[in-house]
Amino acid sequence: MKLLVTGGAGFIGSNFVRYMLDAAPEDDILCADALTYAGNYESLVDLEANPKFRFRELDIRDKNGVDALFAAERPEVVVNFAAESHVDRSIESPDVFLETNVMGTSVLLEAARRYGAERYHQVSTDEVYGDLPLDRPDLFFTEETPLHTSSPYSASKAAADLLVLAYHRTYDLPVTISRCSNNYGPYHFPEKLIPLMIVKALHDEKLPVYGDGRNVRDWLFVRDHCRAVHSILADGKAGEVYNVGGHNEKTNLEVVKTILSALGKSEELIEFVEDRKGHDRRYAIDPTKIRRELGWEPQVRFADGIGKTIDWYVKNHTWWEHILDGSYASVRPKK
Ligand code: NAD
Ligand code: TDX
């Protein structure tokens, strides 16, 4: 199979490329990424020697560039991870979220349609469903939950999902969508909660917890998400949406305290700061459909995954130090 992975230099995309090179060694993987601030070629550089892996620097908003890539490569399967992904940045500057997440998706869909891709998979998020109240632990997001977004980020992801489904209905493009809960694991950019807190704790800096710290996120180890996308590519039905999650709900405060305790640091490092605007209270995925129809189950419990993740950040400190000092941006693919 010839697979195009867009956004493959980001957190989940780079984990997915590694996962697929292991899980489907016969596949040819072409990774395309604009290498924005969130894209990090250092996360992929050791794969350069692998003949099944290639990289192209490409912006999914660039219609001509995307068209030329499809014309030359004719990917059979497209998996789109490329996105602006940080909610706080979307609150500060929404424009680029609409440009990449909506218009970029539209460029990819049009190329997939014109060049007859056998599958277009959109990596979406549970944030398209909005949030759940803290006092209703019986409620979960199903694939039927109405879209009800809170931030410019989630609104842009929901818009993209609707466009993907429209390409199925109108043009019969064989699309699938996954809506996953919060991921954590190696190669996670240290602006997001878990890697930010690990890095700050290692430096004995204050850990900024928004609001009262009682917001709940449903955490999934990144490799479990990669396995879910792989099983949707293999057995998912065109036109369908699959929720992905493992019932690992934690308050932000629990997560931060777990990190501090694993690193032997004091809870006095916790600092409550001003809340995020429009801050979603609770996310919780009902993964019944993907379990029942595709047999997918998470393999990593939070207690194990968080330990593995902390160990990875301790051992691979140069990876995030290069982000903090900015030198990661000069690691580029060989021409
Ligand atoms: P990330 O920010 O780490 O990576 C995004 C990647 O996309 C980067 O490599 C960046 O360079 C690239 N990119 C951005 N704009 C681009 C453009 N215009 N053209 C080409 N490449 C571009 O994000 P992530 O956390 O790995 O998330 C990947 C996908 O998964 C996103 O679509 C996100 O919405 C979704 N998602 C993330 C999570 C999570 O917890 N991180 C959970 C559910 C869904
Ligand atoms: O410094 C912080 N302090 C804090 O309390 C940061 C960065 C976050 N938080 C809180 C906000 C959230 O309640 O932690 C929680 C997690 O925040 P993020 O890591 O920014 O993730 P979230 O907003 O939940 O979105 C993530 O999951 C869904 C990804 O970034 C999205 O791309 C994905 O779609």
Side-chain angles (χ1 to χ4, degrees):
M1 184 167 76
K2 206 163 177 184
L3 189 64
L4 173 64
V5 179
T6 53
F11 163 46
I12 308 175
S14 62
N15 277 281
F16 182 72
V17 167
R18 279 173 197 284
Y19 167 82
M20 288 301 286
L21 289 170
D22 282 351
E26 65 290 356
D27 288 356
D28 288 299
I29 299 184
L30 175 60
C31 173
D33 195 295
L35 297 178
T36 69
Y37 83 91
N40 186 348
Y41 193 67
E42 263 198 312
S43 305
L44 298 169
V45 73
D46 60 303
L47 302 177
E48 270 176 351
N50 189 324
K52 292 295 193 183
F53 170 77
R54 287 176 306 140
F55 183 88
R56 292 280 176 283
E57 199 166 332
L58 179 71
D59 192 317
I60 61 166
R61 294 168 294 180
D62 171 5
K63 239 182 190 167
N64 295 335
V66 169
D67 196 85
L69 180 100
F70 274 74
E73 299 286 347
R74 305 276 171 160
E76 290 156 307
V77 172
V78 181
V79 183
N80 180 28
F81 290 94
E84 288 292 335
S85 68
H86 193 40
V87 172
D88 292 328
R89 287 179 187 255
S90 83
I91 295 167
E92 292 305 315
S93 318
D95 290 6
V96 70
F97 283 75
L98 299 173
E99 289 161 11
T100 286
N101 300 1
V102 186
M103 294 312 296
T105 297
S106 128
V107 168
L108 286 176
L109 284 167
E110 194 49 25
R113 179 178 83 82
R114 277 163 47 86
Y115 291 96
E118 290 163 22
R119 175 67 68 83
Y120 174 93
H121 182 77
Q122 177 76 356
V123 180
S124 184
T125 168
D126 60 356
E127 297 199 18
V128 299
Y129 299 121
D131 65 352
L132 297 164
L134 289 182
D135 60 358
R136 291 291 308 274
D138 55 316
L139 295 181
F140 297 91
F141 298 136
T142 74
E143 291 79 0
E144 311 307 322
T145 301
L147 303 187
H148 189 77
T149 56
S150 313
S151 68
Y153 162 70
S154 55
S156 69
K157 293 295 288 184
D161 282 12
L162 294 177
L163 197 61
V164 171
L165 294 172
Y167 265 69
H168 179 65
R169 171 82 184 244
T170 305
Y171 305 113
D172 214 19
L173 185 70
V175 306
T176 41
I177 296 179
S178 50
R179 294 185 180 143
C180 189
S181 59
N182 284 59
N183 285 216
Y184 67 102
Y187 301 106
H188 203 180
F189 197 84
E191 66 182 349
K192 306 284 170 59
L193 180 76
I194 288 181
L196 180 76
M197 297 300 165
I198 296 172
V199 165
K200 287 206 177 281
L202 286 170
H203 283 149
D204 294 309
E205 289 173 7
K206 291 284 186 192
L207 274 51
V209 172
Y210 298 163
D212 58 12
R214 289 176 59 231
N215 302 62
V216 170
R217 295 294 181 265
D218 183 1
W219 294 98
L220 187 72
F221 193 62
V222 63
R223 205 168 167 89
D224 277 333
H225 184 192
C226 297
R227 283 178 39 252
V229 172
H230 188 203
S231 68
I232 295 168
L233 293 180
D235 300 316
K237 244 180 79 195
E240 294 291 315
V241 173
Y242 297 90
N243 282 356
V244 182
H247 289 301
N248 276 306
E249 288 179 54
K250 307 274 170 217
T251 67
N252 293 338
L253 211 46
E254 280 177 278
V255 169
V256 169
K257 286 182 179 176
T258 303
I259 292 169
L260 286 170
S261 144
L263 291 172
K265 303 285 181 176
S266 161
E267 290 184 7
E268 284 176 12
L269 288 176
I270 294 173
E271 180 175 51
F272 290 96
V273 299
E274 189 185 334
D275 210 354
R276 174 183 279 174
K277 288 188 180 70
H279 197 172
D280 282 335
R281 272 316 232 175
R282 170 175 170 250
Y283 302 146
I285 281 279
D286 175 351
T288 306
K289 178 175 174 179
I290 191 167
R291 188 176 61 227
R292 198 181 50 224
E293 294 186 12
L294 307 183
W296 176 89
E297 300 252 18
Q299 291 179 343
V300 181
R301 290 174 332 125
F302 186 76
D304 300 327
I306 193 71
K308 279 191 196 181
T309 304
I310 293 169
D311 285 351
W312 189 89
Y313 278 83
V314 170
K315 287 197 186 97
N316 295 276
H317 55 93
T318 52
W319 180 85
W320 52 264
E321 282 163 358
H322 290 173
I323 294 177
L324 298 189
D325 69 20
S327 61
Y328 77 113
S330 50
V331 182
R332 312 300 283 190
K334 284 194 202 115
K335 289 283 175 224

